[in-house]
Amino acid sequence: IHRTHYARQLGEDLVGKQVRIGGWIEDVRDIGKLAFVTIRDVTGACQAIVTGDNVQAAVQAPRQSAVIIAGTVQKSKAKDFPVEVKVAEFAILTKAVHPLPIDPTGRVESAPDKRLDARALDLRNPKTAAIFHLRSAGLKVVRDTLRGEGFVEVNTPKIIGSASEGGANLFGFDYFKRKAYLAQSPQLYKEQLTLGLDRVFEIGPYFRAENSHTVRHLTEFTSIDVEAAFLDYEDVMDLVEKVVGNVIRDFNENHRVELAAAGVQEIPFGSNKKIDRLTYEQCLDELVKEGEKLSFGDDLSDAALRKLGEMHRGFYFIMDWPLKLKPFYIHEKEGNEKLSKSFDLQHGYLELVSGGRRLHDPERLRSRLVEQGLNPASFSEHLKAFDWGMPPHSGWGLGYDRLMMVLTGSQNVRDVVLYPRDTDRLTP
Ligand code: AMO
């Protein structure tokens, strides 16, 4: 079952050499005494020339069956392939059972739901595969960037005993005769951890009982969360810029092939690698001028964000939101307590990141909980850490699925998630 080379490695330097290639059958052209078989593997396609006793096996092999071939590399006359493999051994390892639910070559377009139903097979489509190669590459850049800034990667529980974001949208379930919940974010843990680890980040799945049918909401999504002691909110905005900028640079410089397969030539990211920082009030003014009926304190509706997204193409921050629109843990702005030290990173209408400076004073945190109608007693486990010398801290949560959606030019978050979960979808 072992191979010596991947399809992409076959070049003129190998002419005359013996190779074994493992992959799947994409196409077979039967010309009587011989057959041309296109074999694809994760790196690309190659051509195999099958002769003699192997012709019948090749011609009868169902497309997409797993095969291994062995033979000699020779120059090819085919326009798509500089070299080909003259096959001595042709072994079908597992037959694909037809009809297949989708055509992974992409020649016949399949409905999105059908593709998701057959996701593993869909990954044989180079465009789909490219998206998930990019997704993996991006995570490496994020990890490298954050580690380079002194962040420690942590893993906090996903089964929790009380809400972390205030209570809405929680999935609850029975936990050995007690009530437990799926984590909506690592918010409380990551804040506590700045006490001892100073700078932490976590990449993990979070869960929200979000009853919305949109192209950007899932019930399970991947978040990149950071939290850092002794940094203010503008410092962690710089960090967002660095993380997102590094991912974009890596994709543009090192992953052109995958980007092109996904249908993207180059990801634009401003000339000076800086992202515009608009305040909430600036946005409000711009929107009011455009005829939106909004006044201070109103949240920005989907329609308003779409309008704003047309005025500010690409990435931009909205900062200094009204305090009352933000969760209990967000710090007010000194000198104007109606405002908060908070921000969102937007791409057009789409929110990618939320973050801010947090309250570190336990008394103020307690009174904020009460102001927001929450019971401090339910947060006692969290609050006790604030009595152990909590440093001032700031952080953010970045929806990685949404970032990948933007960077791969996908219109639906489901395109960049292997096995998406939403109100309708629980399988595969
Ligand atoms: P927030 O609730 O804004 O903030 O979430 C942070 C980011 O996570 C992504 N996201 C989602 N993506 C897909 N489907 C969903 N249902 C979904 N919900 C959220 C978005 C969003 O911007 N604790 C704070 C972050 C912080 O302050 O550190 C939080 O969870 O991209």
Side-chain angles (χ1 to χ4, degrees):
I1 62 158
H2 295 128
R3 58 181 144 211
T4 58
H5 294 81
Y6 284 99
R8 192 180 287 164
Q9 292 172 306
L10 297 187
E12 297 198 4
D13 55 319
L14 289 175
V15 169
K17 298 261 166 28
Q18 297 291 310
V19 295
R20 286 174 75 79
I21 303 283
W24 58 89
I25 299 175
E26 187 163 274
D27 265 325
V28 181
R29 272 186 302 135
D30 175 10
I31 354 200
K33 285 208 184 88
L34 52 90
F36 292 104
V37 184
T38 307
I39 310 238
R40 188 174 280 281
D41 67 18
V42 70
T43 65
C46 65
Q47 172 156 280
I49 308 276
V50 180
T51 51
D53 292 348
N54 287 325
V55 172
Q56 202 185 0
V59 168
Q60 288 175 352
R63 307 279 201 281
Q64 301 297 327
S65 299
V67 289
I68 198 149
I69 58 155
T72 316
V73 179
Q74 61 184 33
K75 284 204 169 178
S76 170
K77 293 197 192 78
K79 68 173 177 355
D80 296 338
F81 303 103
V83 296
E84 60 202 11
V85 181
K86 186 161 189 321
V87 171
E89 182 194 335
F90 183 94
I92 298 177
L93 306 177
T94 318
K95 272 191 180 153
V97 180
H98 285 238
L100 292 168
I102 58 169
D103 170 18
T105 66
R107 280 175 216 141
V108 180
E109 208 172 316
S110 308
D113 266 327
K114 284 216 160 137
R115 289 180 36 223
L116 290 177
D117 286 341
R119 186 55 121 178
L121 183 58
D122 186 36
L123 292 171
R124 284 186 173 175
N125 178 326
K127 177 174 180 180
T128 313
I131 287 176
F132 291 98
H133 284 294
L134 289 168
R135 199 179 151 112
S136 165
L139 286 178
K140 177 174 177 349
V141 177
V142 171
R143 286 198 161 94
D144 290 348
T145 304
L146 291 172
R147 282 190 196 169
E149 297 287 323
F151 284 78
V152 179
E153 184 162 7
V154 297
N155 305 99
T156 64
K158 304 297 162 253
I159 301 177
I160 55 172
S162 63
S164 42
E165 295 286 335
N169 299 343
L170 264 180
F171 281 117
F173 60 97
D174 236 24
Y175 188 77
F176 305 108
K177 301 201 170 107
R178 277 188 293 167
K179 189 89 184 154
Y181 306 92
L182 291 176
Q184 297 161 294
S185 83
Q187 184 63 37
L188 308 186
Y189 292 108
K190 68 175 180 173
E191 284 195 51
Q192 292 167 27
L193 292 174
T194 62
L195 187 66
L197 293 175
D198 198 75
R199 292 182 174 194
V200 295
F201 76 100
E202 176 159 19
I203 302 177
Y206 295 96
F207 306 90
R208 301 202 183 172
E210 201 104 52
N211 197 356
S212 27
H213 298 259
T214 74
V215 294
R216 64 182 192 280
H217 286 99
L218 296 171
T219 51
E220 176 174 349
F221 67 98
T222 300
S223 177
I224 297 168
D225 275 87
V226 312
E227 203 65 34
F230 302 105
L231 289 187
D232 210 334
Y233 74 137
E234 290 176 270
D235 305 321
V236 294
M237 290 168 79
D238 293 342
L239 185 65
V240 171
E241 231 160 37
K242 193 168 227 172
V243 167
V244 172
N246 283 353
V247 174
I248 292 176
R249 176 159 5 102
D250 180 61
F251 282 13
N252 282 339
E253 288 177 5
N254 306 320
H255 298 283
R256 289 206 160 264
V257 173
E258 292 96 326
L259 273 187
V264 177
Q265 290 321 309
E266 172 151 8
I267 307 165
F269 188 58
S271 48
N272 56 359
K273 310 287 181 251
K274 283 281 176 204
I275 299 177
D276 285 347
R277 298 183 179 192
L278 315 172
T279 65
Y280 165 85
E281 286 172 293
Q282 255 173 299
C283 294
L284 214 59
D285 287 348
E286 289 183 9
L287 287 166
V288 168
K289 279 199 195 108
E290 287 295 306
E292 286 286 314
K293 294 208 172 16
L294 285 168
S295 48
F296 182 87
D298 290 342
D299 207 349
L300 302 184
S301 65
D302 198 46
L305 287 173
R306 277 176 197 274
K307 216 167 239 182
L308 212 53
E310 278 163 28
M311 293 188 265
H312 302 277
R313 300 228 167 243
F315 296 99
Y316 60 98
F317 285 108
I318 308 177
M319 59 195 290
D320 299 355
W321 289 79
L323 185 61
K324 68 167 198 178
L325 291 179
K326 285 289 158 183
F328 65 88
Y329 47 78
I330 290 285
H331 201 291
E332 74 285 349
K333 221 172 136 91
E334 295 96 349
N336 187 346
E337 308 213 333
K338 281 199 156 56
L339 295 179
S340 66
K341 293 189 138 182
S342 63
F343 62 89
D344 287 354
L345 175 70
Q346 297 283 134
H347 186 276
Y349 80 100
L350 191 64
E351 178 200 310
L352 304 178
V353 179
S354 283
R357 168 84 176 269
R358 329 297 192 178
L359 290 171
H360 60 280
D361 179 89
E363 278 323 305
R364 285 164 67 193
L365 196 52
R366 271 189 200 94
S367 44
R368 182 68 64 68
L369 279 165
V370 174
E371 275 166 34
Q372 295 214 350
L374 297 163
N375 180 3
S378 324
F379 291 85
S380 57
E381 280 300 323
H382 179 54
L383 287 167
K384 72 187 186 196
F386 285 72
D387 288 332
W388 299 334
M390 182 61 80
H393 54 281
S394 300
W396 43 257
L398 180 157
Y400 191 61
D401 313 302
R402 290 189 184 176
L403 179 66
M404 283 303 114
M405 193 179 155
V406 165
L407 300 188
T408 61
S410 303
Q411 298 307 316
N412 191 323
V413 72
R414 290 160 187 78
D415 289 340
V416 301
V417 175
L418 281 173
Y419 297 104
R421 291 289 175 260
D422 58 31
T423 46
D424 296 326
R425 186 170 280 281
L426 204 48
T427 56

